[in-house]
Amino acid sequence: MKLKYLAISTFAIFLISLLFSASIIQAQTQILTETRKSAIVKALTQKQLRKWAEFEAMILIIFKILDALKETNITEAIVRIVSQQNVTIDNVTLWGWPAKFGESLTYVTNPHRINTCLTALRLVNALNQVNKEALIEMALSRYNESDGAFHEPVFKIEYSDGRIENRTITGFPLEFYAISDLAYAESNIISTFEWISILAQLNALDKINTTKTLEWILSCKAENGAFKPFPESSPEYLPPWSSLRTNPFYVDRYGTGLAYTYAAISTLKILGYLKDNNAINREKIKEYVFSCLVVTTRDTAYFKAHPDDKRGTVGIGARQYNYYAVKTLECIGMLEESMSELIRVRKYLLEEYQNLYYRDSWLLPNRLWNATWKENTWADVYGLFGGSFTPVQATYYAVLTLNLTKSLHFLNQLTPAALKAWYNLTILSLVISGISVLGILIYKEILRKGKNEKAIISMPL
């Protein structure tokens, strides 16, 4: 057999084997075209991840950003969100997506959940299905007319064992260390940001004195250009209403932090005050944001709570701090010029934060798709992003960050499991083509010997 025809035959058998096996495997598992994005979308379609209205809202927002709304039933998602906007207890109706606080018996509302649900409903044109009057009334009950800022009411949390705790809750993601029993009872920048955002989405900012609100926010500005959670904030601040001995909010030496700066800047933008170039020092804020950046030995990077952060918030809240930093830069119009410095953050999210691990089994890698709830902790879910909080929240902030940094196209990359599957199929097809060609050569050799033997037998003696 000529070498030319042997090579053509080998390549043809290889292609036929590869295409045949790939078509069968793809039809059954969809693994060969699996991308980072498709893994996210598939994971988020699981029902157990969509039990709570806030998670459903986050998933809708993620799908909207990823242009994947067609992958979910929008009508059902809206029903799940809207149906949880109120709870009736003893003939009293509570609005604002109330939910039980942890393992307690008490239903509480928090502005972060309200804000997230409203954002999702607005994106799918369903804001007309919420009780706007009830939400506006709730916002005004948290409004301090004297200073123009917002606070949270004190909830008495009752447990089945008889314990009662006093709590103030926003739902705004901070590191665990920052949560005090009554941290939000007084005017603070976190509550102000959330409720201003809610009133803006409800077109009800005219219900408050925004001039006073602006003045209060600017009173939270520190000498380093960043913002405090409240005007008197300092590391040693001892609030008379808290059981803690220091500032209930985790702050740096100036009493500021990345989260509070994000909240302040975002609120100023909502109120249209960032157009005034004298309101803030953009260069100082950018400098502060990047003073919170930590570069790892792997040439990746993440943002921490503040420059003096020694508590290791990377393992607790890095996903939202990355977003707080990037969103702050966008609000002050300095995101584009910061892109070259944010490449490491994108790398951190994609290479170290997204769960794409698999068991290396032959022929196909074994991916784990199911989400489980065990001992109040979400197990890692294949395709989603990790962290100490739930994968839905982690994925939410990761996608928001990737979207702001114009990095969503990286989610179109094939997953490591898909690449491994292609590698295994290629090896298998090479083996099959090699065995097939070897069989052909052996068969031809047998035929040739058979012909020679016949020729010898037929020769005259």
Side-chain angles (χ1 to χ4, degrees):
M1 189 175 186
K2 292 184 179 180
L3 184 61
K4 174 182 177 181
Y5 295 113
L6 180 63
I8 293 175
S9 299
T10 302
F11 184 67
I13 295 172
F14 167 75
L15 282 181
I16 292 172
S17 173
L18 182 62
L19 293 175
F20 179 74
S21 58
S23 60
I24 294 177
I25 288 173
Q26 179 63 12
Q28 294 179 347
T29 67
Q30 304 297 314
I31 191 174
L32 299 178
T33 56
E34 179 186 85
T35 62
R36 291 174 175 270
K37 173 182 173 179
S38 68
I40 292 173
V41 172
K42 182 174 181 180
L44 292 178
T45 57
Q46 296 178 100
K47 290 184 179 179
Q48 59 265 52
L49 293 177
R50 314 178 77 147
K51 181 178 179 181
W52 293 279
E54 185 176 1
F55 284 4
E56 183 68 75
M58 288 181 176
I59 291 171
L60 267 187
I61 295 170
I62 292 170
F63 280 8
K64 177 69 174 181
I65 293 173
L66 297 181
D67 192 25
L69 283 175
K70 59 183 178 295
E71 304 295 335
T72 190
N73 188 318
I74 298 177
T75 301
E76 289 185 0
I78 293 173
V79 169
R80 280 193 289 268
I81 296 174
V82 173
S83 65
Q84 296 182 47
Q85 70 172 314
N86 63 288
V87 171
T88 300
I89 303 174
D90 297 330
N91 296 323
V92 176
T93 300
L94 306 176
W95 294 91
W97 289 274
K100 286 185 177 180
F101 180 79
E103 299 298 319
S104 75
L105 306 175
T106 308
Y107 280 88
V108 299
T109 58
N110 77 66
H112 187 69
R113 184 185 302 127
I114 296 172
N115 198 13
T116 303
C117 290
L118 289 180
T119 300
L121 293 175
R122 175 173 54 81
L123 290 176
V124 293
N125 301 313
L127 268 183
N128 61 330
Q129 298 190 40
V130 303
N131 188 330
K132 296 182 180 181
E133 292 74 17
L135 295 179
I136 293 173
E137 182 180 348
M138 187 180 299
L140 296 180
S141 70
R142 272 79 168 168
Y143 177 60
N144 295 325
E145 292 187 4
S146 59
D147 58 21
F150 289 78
H151 69 286
E152 303 304 323
V154 177
F155 290 100
K156 286 191 177 296
I157 310 297
E158 298 182 20
Y159 295 90
S160 57
D161 60 5
R163 286 181 299 122
I164 297 179
E165 295 178 348
N166 290 329
R167 292 277 182 172
T168 56
I169 303 162
T170 65
F172 183 88
L174 287 172
E175 67 290 332
F176 291 135
Y177 306 95
I179 300 179
S180 170
D181 50 355
L182 298 174
Y184 300 101
E186 302 295 329
S187 294
N188 66 88
I189 198 67
I190 301 299
S191 295
T192 300
F193 161 63
E194 295 285 10
W195 288 110
I196 287 291
S197 300
I198 291 167
L199 289 175
Q201 297 208 69
L202 298 175
N203 294 318
L205 284 175
D206 59 341
K207 301 291 184 180
I208 64 171
N209 186 334
T210 56
T211 301
K212 273 193 174 183
T213 305
L214 291 168
E215 292 174 353
W216 184 87
I217 294 172
L218 293 177
S219 72
C220 294
K221 184 168 60 173
E223 58 185 288
N224 63 349
F227 285 80
K228 306 175 182 181
F230 50 90
E232 302 84 8
S233 174
S234 68
E236 298 79 22
Y237 178 77
L238 179 61
W241 38 263
S242 175
S243 62
L244 299 185
R245 297 183 178 180
T246 59
N247 193 333
F249 294 97
Y250 187 36
V251 296
D252 57 27
R253 72 194 73 173
Y254 294 97
T256 60
L258 184 55
Y260 321 120
T261 302
Y262 153 75
I265 294 297
S266 297
T267 309
L268 291 175
K269 183 175 182 179
I270 293 172
L271 297 176
Y273 203 61
L274 286 183
K275 297 176 183 179
D276 183 355
N277 293 327
N278 296 321
I280 58 170
N281 187 320
R282 285 171 167 76
E283 287 295 337
K284 270 193 171 184
I285 291 176
K286 178 187 175 183
E287 181 181 342
Y288 182 80
V289 167
F290 280 103
S291 70
C292 300
L293 187 69
V294 178
V295 180
T296 72
T297 56
R298 299 173 297 279
D299 198 35
T300 60
Y302 60 86
F303 287 94
K304 56 184 181 178
H306 53 71
D308 300 332
D309 179 10
K310 303 297 182 184
R311 292 177 172 176
T313 51
V314 57
I316 297 172
R319 65 179 178 276
Q320 69 260 23
Y321 284 113
N322 289 329
Y323 173 68
Y324 298 160
V326 172
K327 185 62 178 179
T328 300
L329 292 171
E330 185 210 34
C331 286
I332 64 175
M334 305 192 83
L335 181 59
E336 290 294 333
E337 63 186 69
S338 303
M339 283 296 187
S340 60
E341 300 170 271
L342 295 174
I343 292 176
R344 292 188 182 94
V345 176
R346 180 195 70 208
K347 187 178 178 183
Y348 168 79
L349 290 173
L350 294 175
E351 295 183 7
E352 301 185 34
Y353 222 42
Q354 189 176 12
N355 175 17
L356 296 173
Y357 298 110
Y358 60 88
R359 292 194 183 102
D360 191 5
S361 54
W362 182 268
L363 173 70
L364 298 178
N366 182 19
R367 301 159 294 168
L368 300 177
W369 283 105
N370 294 327
T372 58
W373 179 264
K374 184 179 181 182
E375 295 180 356
N376 297 326
T377 303
W378 282 100
D380 287 336
V381 181
Y382 181 83
L384 302 185
F385 290 76
S388 297
F389 294 152
T390 70
V392 175
Q393 292 170 304
T395 303
Y396 176 70
Y397 285 104
V399 170
L400 287 177
T401 304
L402 291 172
N403 184 43
L404 284 175
T405 56
K406 301 179 181 178
S407 303
L408 288 180
H409 61 282
F410 286 97
L411 295 178
N412 295 325
Q413 297 173 343
L414 288 177
T415 62
L419 293 172
K420 183 64 176 179
W422 275 111
Y423 175 80
N424 289 348
L425 284 181
T426 301
I427 296 298
L428 177 64
S429 298
L430 286 173
V431 171
I432 291 174
S433 61
I435 293 174
S436 299
V437 170
L438 181 61
I440 292 172
L441 291 175
I442 292 173
Y443 178 70
K444 284 187 171 292
E445 182 63 20
I446 291 173
L447 288 179
R448 186 185 66 77
K449 287 183 178 180
K451 288 180 180 179
N452 290 341
E453 290 176 358
K454 286 182 181 181
I456 292 173
I457 294 174
S458 62
M459 289 178 63
L461 298 175

